Amino acid sequence: MADAINTNDANNNDHQLLSRRAAKKAKRKQQKADKKRQVLDAYMSSSGGAVMMATSKDGSNAQQQSTVSAGQHHAISNDSASSSVVGGKAARARFARQNDINLIAILQNNDDNKKKSNDVSWQQHRPQGGAPILSQVLPQHIQIVEYLEDKEQQMRMQGRGVRMKERMVVEVDCHGSMDSDVVDDGSSMDNKKCGHEYCKLSRMNLRGNFTLVSLSSLLATPTRGVQSSISNILHLDLSRNELWNISTDALEPLAPTLLTLDISRNWIESLPSSIGTTLTALKELRATHNLLKPNALHIDVLKGMNELVLIDLRFNQKCGKQSLLESLQSTLGARVEVKLTVTYPPPPPPPPPVSTDDATTELHSDKVGESPAVRDATLLRSQLEPWSTMALRRRLVADFGEKRTNDGRSWADDDVSRGQVMDQLLRLYKEEASKEGKCHDGNGRAVVNVSGTLVEESIRKRVLHSLREFWTSKSSSTGNRERPSIAAENYMILCSPTMFDATSQNAAKAAIKLKKYEALWNLAHEAINSVDPFFASQYTAVAVTHNFEGSPHIDKQNTGPFWGFAVGDYEDGTGGIMVECSARVVAKVNTKNRMARVDGRYPHWVGPYDSKRDRYSLIYYRTDGEVEPIGPAVFTVPSDNV
């Protein structure tokens, strides 16, 4: 009995000890969180110093100044819905969900209503890789765009002839994706003969949650050209819409008969969880070009679909791992053909050129190099690599007039790989570079010159001294590379806590980091405020770099153009920001001792300079707030004097 009591006492003591330790640990954690919160609160309540500088250099209010500047060169669309979805497919999907657009929007599907409608589904899509459509350009940018378009047209006619005086029109769907008119092996829903068993609801402007009510109403509307009844449907095509969910009640009536389901090119993040238990007769499932996530594929449910022979999940960005493909193949077995676009691990480099009797054939893999940091920025392929495959497809058609492959397929065909598209583009650029004319970069592209605004001498001297001292104090053996995908000796990002949720730990961490480097932040702010007071009140982060090299990339998270400023002892005329303005025009932007505005949503990189010299730079950008529509890549009329 005494032994039992002693054992209980020991257990109680151990429990109390653990409880005290846990309480102390929780207290320390809370104290640390409180300290971070105090720093953040001090930051947010401050009216000067490290705050986003509500006060300008002369003491006047920067926000008041910005009212004038906004009308001059920073105007943003008054249509908040339109401007909020410029960021692309994923951004538009988030916007629709956040605004609780929880319905199926059925618009009249004709050209007149498309033009009249303000619905963001039918915004005219700018053909990426080319200059902006003039009707979408702000008045203050028209002269710049006209210059770039004239230069592009000269180069295009020089390379392709009079037939390409104007760009070729590219038909796109509501996502900006090219339409494919190719006749393939008949497996595509588009090429099947329509009948009662084929229910084609593609390109019907459907948005939101697709339910039985949605399906029934569409089948009951003869003007939509749908002639099926639910009991007769064997093949259902819901592709090229803006759906983010397929409800179980829409699938249940189709369960006994449905053989193929196409939900490609939508906003779907998760396959319907009931698909495996509901569509027991399904043979083919096509879900390409969506926003699917690996943990939302319901692989175990798919395993129970005994009739399934094909599942096509290509071009879902987050489902790009080789391990996921292997898991699907292992789970579903050899009877099911699994299609997946593998992007990780990155593909191997292309094989060396193959010599033949006729010529040397270059073979290209889908993508070269793990990141911009390892790509040679002087190579045209590296400069094109940041573009999406669809943008490259559009370029082949719109800018080079190439409608089909040698075997008769459309360049919009998903079975034409990125490597094939890139290979053809490089061949065409090489052909144009070999023709007579003035190509400044040796790749078939003209280089034009843009100069930034000269920063006051006193400011740039202090910036140079501060950055030189700052990076010298860092460990030269380890460096400070917060963005490893970029080739730079040092790269640090200072973020304003205002870009985070005020209650988040990220905001607190940003405030602590900003407090540590407050002097550098303030000096950087003084520099941008001397050139553009409006943007000085808007930017959310500054990238502080040392010896940034090459690295062609696109800043996909930016919500508008950035400002770049560089100092150092590198030679004048070198180390500028190179930015693609259109298919055949690249701007060389001089930022040495100057502040220049560039749209980083175009491919851009740092031009070559002597690596033995130092180049320091400050890049001011926004990743929060209202999205500014994409206009020209540069904001000063270029010149030909390179």
Side-chain angles (χ1 to χ4, degrees):
M1 184 69 176
D3 290 341
I5 293 174
N6 290 335
T7 301
N8 289 335
D9 289 342
N11 289 338
N12 288 335
N13 290 336
D14 290 343
H15 180 72
Q16 292 173 4
L17 180 61
L18 290 173
S19 297
R20 287 196 296 271
R21 286 177 178 173
K24 287 181 180 179
K25 185 176 180 180
K27 184 178 180 180
R28 286 195 300 270
K29 186 175 181 180
Q30 185 60 46
Q31 288 173 341
K32 189 174 181 180
D34 290 343
K35 185 176 180 180
K36 288 182 177 180
R37 182 60 46 208
Q38 289 172 4
V39 174
L40 178 60
D41 290 342
Y43 174 89
M44 301 298 282
S45 62
S46 175
S47 59
V51 185
M52 288 301 294
M53 302 304 179
T55 305
S56 63
K57 188 172 64 173
D58 61 1
S60 59
N61 188 279
Q63 190 61 46
Q64 292 174 352
Q65 294 182 19
S66 70
T67 306
V68 178
S69 299
Q72 296 172 356
H73 64 288
H74 290 285
I76 297 177
S77 170
N78 291 326
D79 182 356
S80 61
S82 297
S83 60
S84 297
V85 295
V86 176
K89 180 175 178 177
R92 294 172 66 229
R94 285 194 301 270
F95 172 81
R97 286 174 179 247
Q98 289 167 1
N99 286 270
D100 198 23
I101 304 176
N102 207 10
L103 51 92
I104 294 289
I106 304 176
L107 306 178
Q108 291 299 317
N109 193 11
N110 61 66
D111 292 337
D112 289 338
N113 281 319
K114 282 184 186 179
K115 293 175 183 176
K116 294 175 184 177
S117 172
N118 289 323
D119 188 283
V120 294
S121 303
W122 293 109
Q123 288 188 102
Q124 189 177 18
H125 285 264
R126 181 182 67 83
Q128 289 182 338
I133 299 168
L134 283 174
S135 62
Q136 295 181 321
V137 176
L138 297 173
Q140 58 269 28
H141 299 155
I142 288 178
Q143 189 179 357
I144 300 169
V145 172
E146 286 179 340
Y147 174 93
L148 295 172
E149 280 286 75
D150 287 344
K151 178 63 68 174
E152 170 68 26
Q153 187 181 68
Q154 292 172 19
M155 297 293 293
R156 188 168 61 244
M157 291 178 65
Q158 175 185 303
R160 313 310 301 171
V162 179
R163 69 181 183 89
M164 285 298 293
K165 181 178 181 181
E166 304 296 336
R167 284 190 181 87
M168 188 172 290
V169 176
V170 178
E171 296 295 330
V172 297
D173 62 16
C174 60
H175 300 291
S177 299
M178 285 171 56
D179 284 334
S180 174
D181 60 353
V182 67
V183 177
D184 58 12
D185 60 4
S187 62
S188 172
M189 188 78 70
D190 287 341
N191 299 305
K192 294 181 184 293
K193 183 178 179 181
C194 291
H196 292 293
E197 68 271 25
Y198 297 103
C199 182
K200 190 172 186 301
L201 300 178
S202 178
R203 302 177 180 85
M204 297 288 272
N205 307 357
L206 307 179
R207 171 183 289 175
N209 184 28
F210 189 79
T211 65
L212 178 59
V213 174
S214 311
L215 179 59
S216 300
S217 64
L218 286 165
L219 296 179
T221 310
T223 56
R224 306 298 292 175
V226 181
Q227 302 175 357
S228 304
S229 63
I230 293 179
S231 60
N232 293 331
I233 296 175
L234 301 180
H235 310 279
L236 176 60
D237 183 2
L238 294 170
S239 65
R240 296 181 185 269
N241 288 296
E242 294 181 342
L243 303 174
W244 57 67
N245 186 47
I246 313 294
S247 296
T248 301
D249 68 346
L251 299 177
E252 285 177 342
L254 305 169
T257 58
L258 194 66
L259 300 179
T260 65
L261 175 62
D262 191 346
I263 54 175
S264 300
R265 299 185 187 277
N266 278 284
W267 289 343
I268 296 171
E269 295 183 355
S270 171
L271 290 179
S273 58
S274 60
I275 193 171
T277 54
T278 305
L279 302 181
T280 54
L282 195 70
K283 292 182 177 295
E284 297 181 5
L285 174 61
R286 301 177 186 275
T288 67
H289 299 87
N290 275 286
L291 304 172
L292 290 171
K293 300 176 182 178
N295 59 357
L297 297 179
H298 308 296
I299 298 177
D300 291 337
V301 175
L302 295 173
K303 185 179 180 180
M305 302 177 70
N306 296 326
E307 300 299 320
L308 192 67
V309 295
L310 170 68
I311 179 169
D312 192 348
L313 303 173
R314 289 175 298 168
F315 307 105
N316 282 277
Q317 190 173 10
K318 294 186 178 180
C319 296
K321 289 188 177 181
Q322 177 68 29
S323 58
L324 176 61
L325 175 61
E326 294 170 356
S327 175
L328 283 165
Q329 291 172 333
S330 173
T331 303
L332 299 179
R335 65 179 175 82
V336 181
E337 180 185 1
V338 180
K339 293 185 177 182
L340 197 73
T341 304
V342 176
T343 57
Y344 185 85
V354 178
S355 297
T356 65
D357 294 336
D358 299 327
T360 298
T361 303
E362 295 182 29
L363 302 176
H364 297 281
S365 60
D366 279 0
K367 214 158 193 176
V368 174
E370 295 182 21
S371 69
V374 299
R375 296 176 188 142
D376 183 351
T378 63
L379 299 179
L380 178 60
R381 168 142 199 180
S382 299
Q383 297 167 16
L384 298 178
E385 206 71 83
W387 285 120
S388 68
T389 303
M390 185 51 65
L392 297 177
R393 294 183 196 275
R394 283 198 293 259
R395 178 168 294 190
L396 264 180
V397 179
D399 293 293
F400 288 89
E402 294 283 306
K403 291 185 177 181
R404 296 179 181 275
T405 64
N406 291 334
D407 56 3
R409 290 179 294 170
S410 166
W411 288 109
D413 190 339
D414 286 342
D415 289 327
V416 178
S417 71
R418 178 185 176 90
Q420 291 173 286
V421 173
M422 182 69 81
D423 181 64
Q424 182 66 6
L425 270 174
L426 295 177
R427 289 177 189 276
L428 295 171
Y429 273 112
K430 187 175 181 180
E431 284 178 11
E432 293 190 7
S434 65
K435 295 182 179 180
E436 287 189 17
K438 192 175 183 182
C439 295
H440 301 293
D441 69 348
N443 290 321
R445 308 213 286 185
V447 179
V448 296
N449 186 58
V450 173
S451 242
T453 302
L454 191 65
V455 177
E456 294 176 20
E457 184 177 5
S458 61
I459 295 177
R460 62 179 190 256
K461 282 185 176 180
R462 283 186 287 128
V463 169
L464 176 58
H465 174 76
S466 177
L467 291 178
R468 184 174 284 160
E469 188 177 65
F470 176 75
W471 288 123
T472 302
S473 66
K474 299 293 179 183
S475 171
S476 59
S477 60
T478 59
N480 187 350
R481 296 186 60 196
E482 295 183 5
R483 194 177 180 185
S485 63
I486 296 299
E489 197 170 316
N490 293 286
Y491 194 113
M492 182 179 73
I493 300 171
L494 294 177
C495 296
S496 165
T498 57
M499 69 180 291
F500 300 111
D501 179 351
T503 62
S504 73
Q505 288 296 310
N506 284 335
K509 289 178 181 178
I512 291 172
K513 185 177 181 182
L514 200 56
K515 185 68 176 176
K516 182 178 180 181
Y517 302 115
E518 183 175 354
L520 181 58
W521 174 273
N522 288 344
L523 182 56
H525 180 85
E526 183 182 349
I528 184 65
N529 192 64
S530 69
V531 174
D532 188 344
F534 174 78
F535 193 76
S537 68
Q538 298 294 311
Y539 67 91
T540 57
V542 179
V544 185
T545 81
H546 176 215
N547 289 346
F548 190 130
E549 295 181 342
S551 307
H553 66 287
I554 288 176
D555 296 318
K556 297 179 180 179
Q557 302 303 316
N558 285 13
T559 54
F562 69 81
W563 280 89
F565 173 39
V567 291
D569 61 358
Y570 65 101
E571 292 184 13
D572 293 345
T574 66
I577 296 176
M578 311 294 292
V579 57
E580 179 185 294
C581 299
S582 62
R584 297 173 179 83
V585 181
V586 173
K588 180 181 180 182
V589 185
N590 181 12
T591 58
K592 183 175 181 181
N593 297 328
R594 296 172 180 271
M595 193 81 70
R597 189 168 179 243
V598 174
D599 200 326
R601 293 169 292 182
Y602 289 86
H604 59 287
W605 60 97
V606 172
Y609 61 95
D610 188 347
S611 60
K612 296 178 182 178
R613 304 291 186 94
D614 285 317
R615 181 186 183 276
Y616 305 94
S617 70
L618 298 172
I619 304 295
Y620 308 79
Y621 59 97
R622 288 191 306 121
T623 56
D624 196 18
E626 194 168 18
V627 177
E628 188 170 340
I630 297 176
V634 293
F635 297 88
T636 303
V637 178
S639 70
D640 292 333
N641 299 321
V642 178

